[in-house]
Every structure is written in structure tokens, then in C-alpha cells.
Amino acid sequence: MKVFRQLMWYFKQEKLRYIGGIAMLALVSLGLLVPPKMVGLIVDHIKEGTLTDKLLWQYGGLLITIAVGIYVLRYIWRILIFGAAVKLAMLLRNRLYEHFTKKSQEFYQKRRVGDLMAHSTNDLQAIQQTAGDGVLTLVDSLMMGGFTLIAMASTISWKLTLVSLLPLPVMAWATNKYGTMLHKRFHSAQEAFSTLNDKVQESISGTRVIKAFGQEEEDIHSFTALSKDAVKKNMAVARIDSLFDPTISLIIGFSFFLAVSYGSSLVIKNELTIGELVSFTSYLGLLIWPMLAFGWLFNIVERGRASYDRIETLLAVEEEIDDDGLINTIPRGKIDFQLEEFCYSAGTRVLKDINFTLEKGQTLGVVGRTGSGKTTLCRLLLREYHIKRDDIVIDGKDICDYRLDALRAAIGYVPQDHFLFSATIAENIAFAKISSPFPDIKDAAETASIHKDIAQFKYGYETVVGERGVTLSGGQKQRISIARALLMDPEILILDDSLSAVDAKTEEEILQKLKRKRQNKTTIITAHRLSSIAHCDLIIVMDDGSIIQSGTHQSLLCEEGWYKETYERQALETLIAQGGGNR
Ligand code: ADP
């Protein structure tokens, strides 16, 4: 029953609903005790020939009044208790969602999306059931069971009650044993569901790759294997689950046997009337539900506990990035990097001795081989990972002294793996500034050289992209992502290899427009094509996490080294490509 303790905060919060609901359940339980007693009295009146029409009408009237009362009360408690349970699920779902949105990159790197989805669906459902059916079964098994027992013992015969209940300890033992087994099995069934969820999510998002490599069969095989595993583990749960009811029915059967045989002997000995025996067996019938509820309670509580533990563990994951900076003003853009080293949590050093200063309004170009640390450098500016104090200083203040939201509001980051939502192009561009007027959206699109493409679509800016709409080319998506960042008009704009999928001419066009637009603002561009960064005020060349060269395009061309070699090679490649095109 630990889960009820864990949920106590919520029961307290919704105490009126729960107290009201439980009071009504109590009234229903009391109401249900009346008909068996009345049937017994009527039987005795019949036997003694004392039943009059008036008496029969009185009994009948009372029975109907009780039935109607129970109907109303049952309707209301369901709304109160089940309503509270739905509210709890909503509360936890919102809490979980808020938690997910605040988590850093590292959190998502360590976890699988399918698993997170499973938490938000199956686990929440199990907790909702605990706060609804769990409370119902707890109250009903204790209260209705208790009231019935009291009625049996005090109004009929305590001896008969004791004898009839002899098989009960067996039931307590069995349900306890099943409960423990269920807990383990349910946990592993939920894990299997998470894995299956993850597989579905991955296969659907990677469907193009799967098809392109002709891996459909293999994918189906691995899905089937996971699906079978999930079924196997759920069947293991169901096997225990299905033991509860038959076990309880069997035990009740024994109780009936004892009640009827011992009860008849009491009737013969005149210690009990026939009417009382009839009432007693009806009460025993009334005990079936509380006992079933008791078994079911174990089942629900075990599931609820497993799920609540999973959700709590997830919610307890602390933010890796401290957001305790106090500066609320948006940083203006002078950047000082004095980074000795940076490692991801995996431990290997990714950046070493990165020292440079970028004045406000300047443009920085970052080039180097793939894996040399360009993206890491950009992401550190967004504080997506933990860094030491004074590693990065913006406007003379440590980056950690800014509030995270102020810092991120100052930076427009266009990542390599751009993401467009299933919404219209206009909504995608205005993602970070939802209320932007249309001319601003269009202006951003023009600067990103995507306006002409959009104008050609039938619905223009209202065209829906993504799963439900048009499929855009990689270059178009890149430019929409750039427009999205430009619309923010950020103090610092970071284009992280964001021009890789556009052709050289369009690239040149975008760079020219950017130069004009962002005259007084800081811009960082990482690229493979050196033409993308040739205009920059400062260029740094990275290799294996360190800066191996730095300067301007002109100064770097005068030095022997990676920059000059790469520039000459790329110039030659362009020449060959053009020559090939002219032939
Ligand atoms: P670039 O942008 O120059 O291609 P990256 O900054 O992406 O380089 O990567 C630099 C190095 O850091 C690579 O060795 C890469 O494997 C490693 N790396 C990148 N992201 C992570 C991460 N999230 N966790 C651990 N290592 C990472």
C-alpha cells in the first residue's frame, strides 16, 4: 500500500472530493445491508403466517427507496473519485511534459524516446487507476466488507460468521503472494512496452532509410521479436492476474459450503430462524465483491507502485545545467572564449585551449574537419552542457551569470539537424516569435533566400510542411530554419553548417544579405566550404578540438597550413566542376 502513501499529497490536495466520495461509498455499503435483512424478515413472516399486505408494501417501498438512493450515490461517487483520478493523471502528465521541455541535450542522449512515451501513457494510466479504482477497492473491501461482517455477527450469529470465514486467511496469503509476483512481472512488461514503443518510433522516423537499404524484412523481424517479447511478458502478468478472481471465488465457495452446512444445523437446533439463514447467505453473497475488490486492490496497487516509481525516478532527474544566474538583460554580443578544456559526460576531451575574442558586431568563421569540435563550440555558447566559470564571457560577464532564458533569447541558433514542425511555413518561421506580423516573416524569408520558393507553392506561406504537407528539399528546410533564426533578430546568430545544402550561388546571395542585415550584430558561421566564411572578421581553424590557425581570410592565405591547402583544393574542385559543366 506504499503507493497510497506516495500519493498522499494528492489525496490531501483533493480531500473534499475524496472525503465526499468515500462518505457516499460508506452510505452505499450501509444501504446494501438492508435488503438481505428484509428478505430474511419476510421469509420468517411467511413461515409464521404473519405477513400482511401492509407490511409487504412497507418493505417493498423501503427497498425501492434504498435502490434509488444507491443509484444516485453511486453516480456521484464515481464522478468525485474517478474525476479526481483523471485530474491526477493530467497533473502528472503536465509535470512530466514540463520536465521534458526543460531537460538538456544530455538527458535526451541518455534516454530513448519510446521509453519517455511509455511513461507518459502506460505509467500514467496505471497511476490514474490507483487513484480511482485503487481507492474504490480499498474503501469497498474495508468498509463494505467490515459493515457486512458486523451485520452478520451482530444481527445473526457470531458463531456462524466465524465458521464461514475460516477460509479467509488462505485468501489473504494467496493475494499477497500473487501481488509480489505481479509487481515483478508488471515491471518487466512495462519495460518491454517501452522498448517496443522505441522501436516503433525509430522505425517510423527512419522508414526512408530502411526502405532505401531494403531492410524492411529485417525491420519487421526485429519488430516481431520485440512484439513477441512484450506479449510474453504481458501474458506472464495476465497469468497471475487471472489467478486472482478464481482463487477468491473458490474461497467464497468454501465459505458458502460452511455457512449452509453449519447454518442448517443451527436452524435444526433452533438457534437460528430460516429467515436469518437466508439473510446470512445473502450477506455472504454481499461479501463477494469486497473480497474480489481486495484481490483487485493488490493488483492495482502493485501496478501503480511500479509506475509511480518509474515516474518519480524520471522526475527526480536533476537539471544538469544550473540556472542560478541573476542577470536578466539580454547579452549584447562581445564574446570572450577562455576555455582550457571541455569534455562531454562520456569523459573524452573534445575541446582544448580555445581562446579568442569576438567584438560585438563582428563575424566569426569556424572551419575544420568533421569532428574537430565546431558544433560543440557553438552549443557551449547556448549552455547546453556544463562548463566551468569564466570559460566563456559575454559582455564582460561570465556566461553562467546570465539567466538561461535571457542568454538563449539573445542567441539564434540554426543547427545542422534542422527541424520543421507539422505546421505552416509561416508558423515554422515565426516559431520563436509567434505574434510576428507577416511583413517581418516575409522579410526574414527574403533574407534567407527562401521567399521565391515559398511564393511558388500553391498556398504560399500557409503551406503545411512535414508529415501532413509538402515535402521540402534539404536546402529549402535549411533556409526556412535560417529565416526562423533571423526573425528573432538575435544579438548573436549562429549558423552551424547551415548552408551546406544550398548551392554556391544562393549561398553567396544569403551571405551578402546577412552582411547587410547584421552589421552591428555578432554572427558565428561554421562551414565546410571556405567560401561561406571568407568574409568573416575572424576565422578560426579547428583540428582535434584545438585552434590550429586563426586570422582573416587574407592572412590565412598567406600562411602555409590547413586553410590555404583546403582553399586551393576547393577552388580547384569548383574549377573542375565548372569546366565539367561547360563541356
Ligand atoms: P564538428 O561540428 O566539427 O563536426 P562536433 O563538435 O560535432 O564536431 O564533435 C566533436 C567531437 O565531440 C566528436 O569527436 C564527437 O564524436 C564528439 N561529440 C559530439 N557530440 C557529443 C556528445 N553529445 N556526447 C559525446 N561526444 C560528442
Side-chain angles (χ1 to χ4, degrees):
M1 303 293 153
K2 183 178 150 212
V3 67
F4 286 125
R5 240 178 298 138
Q6 288 172 313
L7 284 174
M8 199 44 88
W9 62 271
Y10 183 70
F11 297 144
K12 280 189 188 148
Q13 188 178 315
E14 291 292 324
K15 58 177 175 292
L16 284 184
R17 271 174 173 270
Y18 278 104
I19 291 175
I22 290 170
M24 285 178 199
L25 275 172
L27 287 177
V28 170
S29 306
L30 288 174
L32 286 172
L33 294 179
V34 181
K37 190 71 201 162
M38 249 179 242
V39 173
L41 290 175
I42 292 172
V43 168
D44 281 344
H45 278 302
I46 294 170
K47 189 174 168 255
E48 283 154 28
T50 51
L51 187 67
T52 59
D53 276 355
K54 193 177 158 221
L55 214 53
L56 197 58
W57 277 111
Q58 275 173 355
Y59 282 140
L62 196 60
L63 280 178
I64 287 177
T65 315
I66 286 174
V68 173
I70 287 177
Y71 168 85
V72 174
L73 290 172
R74 276 186 171 155
Y75 178 70
I76 303 176
W77 76 245
R78 276 180 166 78
I79 291 178
L80 291 176
I81 293 184
F82 292 151
V86 173
K87 231 171 123 182
L88 170 67
M90 182 193 77
L91 209 98
L92 288 177
R93 194 172 293 121
N94 288 350
R95 208 183 268 182
L96 212 55
Y97 188 74
E98 200 184 320
H99 190 69
F100 288 162
T101 53
K102 284 190 182 153
K103 288 288 112 184
S104 66
Q105 294 287 329
E106 280 192 287
F107 175 85
Y108 288 100
Q109 259 166 354
K110 285 184 207 147
R111 281 166 192 82
R112 301 166 308 162
V113 176
D115 192 31
L116 299 178
M117 297 285 287
H119 282 92
S120 327
T121 51
N122 260 19
D123 282 334
L124 284 184
Q125 207 179 349
I127 297 172
Q128 176 179 333
Q129 211 191 12
T130 308
D133 289 324
V135 172
L136 162 71
T137 48
L138 175 70
V139 172
D140 256 1
S141 53
L142 293 183
M143 235 157 38
M144 192 169 159
F147 290 164
T148 314
L149 283 179
I150 293 170
M152 287 159 94
S154 63
T155 69
I156 302 178
S157 157
W158 63 267
K159 272 197 283 182
L160 186 57
T161 310
L162 267 185
V163 170
S164 314
L165 297 185
L166 279 180
L168 274 199
V170 181
M171 193 185 80
W173 172 81
T175 43
N176 191 10
K177 195 167 165 54
Y178 297 160
T180 318
M181 285 161 84
L182 194 74
H183 181 70
K184 275 195 219 129
R185 294 187 184 191
F186 183 67
H187 207 87
S188 84
Q190 288 291 73
E191 296 284 324
F193 178 71
S194 288
T195 316
L196 189 65
N197 242 354
D198 208 54
K199 170 76 195 161
V200 173
Q201 190 268 337
E202 212 174 270
S203 291
I204 291 178
S205 30
T207 187
R208 284 196 195 157
V209 182
I210 291 171
K211 285 194 176 141
F213 283 86
Q215 293 297 302
E216 291 96 330
E217 283 296 317
E218 282 74 4
D219 192 56
I220 292 169
H221 279 313
S222 66
F223 173 80
T224 316
L226 288 178
S227 168
K228 275 189 183 151
D229 184 52
V231 169
K232 203 173 106 198
K233 290 182 172 147
N234 276 295
M235 285 299 281
V237 172
R239 272 199 298 277
I240 293 288
D241 220 4
S242 32
L243 275 176
F244 274 97
D245 289 5
T247 308
I248 290 165
S249 302
L250 184 71
I251 288 164
I252 303 255
F254 271 113
S255 285
F256 265 101
F257 168 72
L258 292 173
V260 173
S261 37
Y262 183 58
S264 313
S265 77
L266 290 179
V267 173
I268 292 166
K269 282 193 257 168
N270 269 340
E271 284 185 36
L272 208 68
T273 66
I274 294 187
E276 280 171 334
L277 183 58
V278 170
S279 297
F280 190 86
T281 47
S282 302
Y283 280 142
L284 216 47
L286 272 189
L287 268 188
I288 296 179
W289 160 242
M291 287 194 193
L292 285 178
F294 192 64
W296 196 29
L297 171 69
F298 271 89
N299 185 325
I300 293 171
V301 161
E302 286 312 325
R303 287 169 195 240
R305 199 181 86 193
S307 290
Y308 199 81
D309 286 348
R310 274 160 56 99
I311 298 256
E312 268 208 326
T313 316
L314 190 64
L315 284 174
V317 177
E318 299 241 341
E319 196 53 82
E320 298 88 351
I321 314 288
D322 298 327
D323 187 12
D324 46 15
L326 296 175
I327 308 175
N328 214 357
T329 46
I330 286 185
R332 293 284 157 220
K334 179 186 171 186
I335 302 171
D336 254 312
F337 249 82
Q338 302 295 335
L339 183 93
E340 257 175 54
E341 64 168 18
F342 170 76
C343 310
Y344 283 107
S345 51
T348 40
R349 192 173 61 197
V350 175
L351 292 180
K352 182 174 180 284
D353 293 332
I354 306 289
N355 302 312
F356 67 84
T357 301
L358 193 66
E359 295 297 334
K360 172 176 158 26
Q362 285 192 327
T363 303
L364 170 74
V366 187
V367 287
R369 284 187 191 77
T370 306
S372 57
K374 304 183 291 297
T375 299
T376 306
L377 191 146
C378 297
R379 288 191 180 260
L380 288 190
L381 267 176
L382 287 159
R383 281 199 69 207
E384 284 187 0
Y385 299 96
H386 178 70
I387 48 169
K388 291 198 291 295
R389 285 197 70 81
D390 294 328
D391 277 350
I392 306 173
V393 174
I394 303 186
D395 290 346
K397 289 172 192 114
D398 186 341
I399 197 171
C400 305
D401 289 337
Y402 290 100
R403 283 182 48 157
L404 267 184
D405 49 2
L407 177 74
R408 291 181 183 164
I411 304 178
Y413 177 56
V414 186
Q416 293 171 358
D417 47 354
H418 40 72
F419 184 83
L420 297 186
F421 296 90
S422 292
T424 66
I425 292 180
E427 284 164 344
N428 264 296
I429 295 179
F431 176 68
K433 241 178 130 182
I434 291 172
S435 53
S436 302
F438 179 71
D440 289 1
I441 295 177
K442 186 166 157 248
D443 191 45
E446 264 165 356
T447 312
S449 288
I450 185 68
H451 171 71
K452 279 192 206 135
D453 295 48
I454 299 172
Q456 277 171 8
F457 295 137
K458 189 171 164 200
Y459 299 108
Y461 282 83
E462 292 309 306
T463 307
V464 174
V465 293
E467 285 154 24
R468 291 180 290 123
V470 297
T471 310
L472 299 172
S473 74
Q476 285 170 331
K477 284 189 203 158
Q478 270 193 341
R479 282 174 285 152
I480 290 179
S481 303
I482 295 175
R484 179 189 284 167
L486 285 175
L487 185 65
M488 284 170 68
D489 195 20
E491 294 298 335
I492 302 169
L493 173 70
I494 305 176
L495 301 181
D496 188 2
D497 209 7
S498 311
L499 296 165
S500 57
V502 299
D503 59 79
K505 190 169 151 275
T506 316
E507 176 190 33
E508 179 58 31
E509 221 178 275
I510 298 173
L511 289 172
Q512 286 303 330
K513 284 188 249 176
L514 271 183
K515 216 168 157 182
R516 247 179 290 128
K517 283 261 166 192
R518 298 195 52 81
Q519 258 171 11
N520 295 314
K521 302 219 161 142
T522 310
T523 306
I524 299 176
I525 303 175
T526 83
H528 282 103
R529 240 185 274 154
L530 299 192
S531 56
S532 306
I533 48 99
H535 68 286
C536 292
D537 301 295
L538 173 68
I539 297 169
I540 57 177
V541 180
M542 310 264 308
D543 188 32
D544 200 15
S546 303
I547 299 178
I548 49 166
Q549 285 184 286
S550 68
T552 61
H553 178 64
Q554 293 309 330
S555 76
L556 286 168
L557 282 186
C558 299
E559 270 177 32
E560 287 308 316
W562 185 91
Y563 192 87
K564 189 170 176 226
E565 275 168 31
T566 310
Y567 182 77
E568 284 169 357
R569 199 190 63 238
Q570 288 185 356
L572 197 65
E573 279 167 5
T574 315
L575 212 64
I576 293 169
Q578 281 169 355
N582 289 341
R583 248 184 286 141

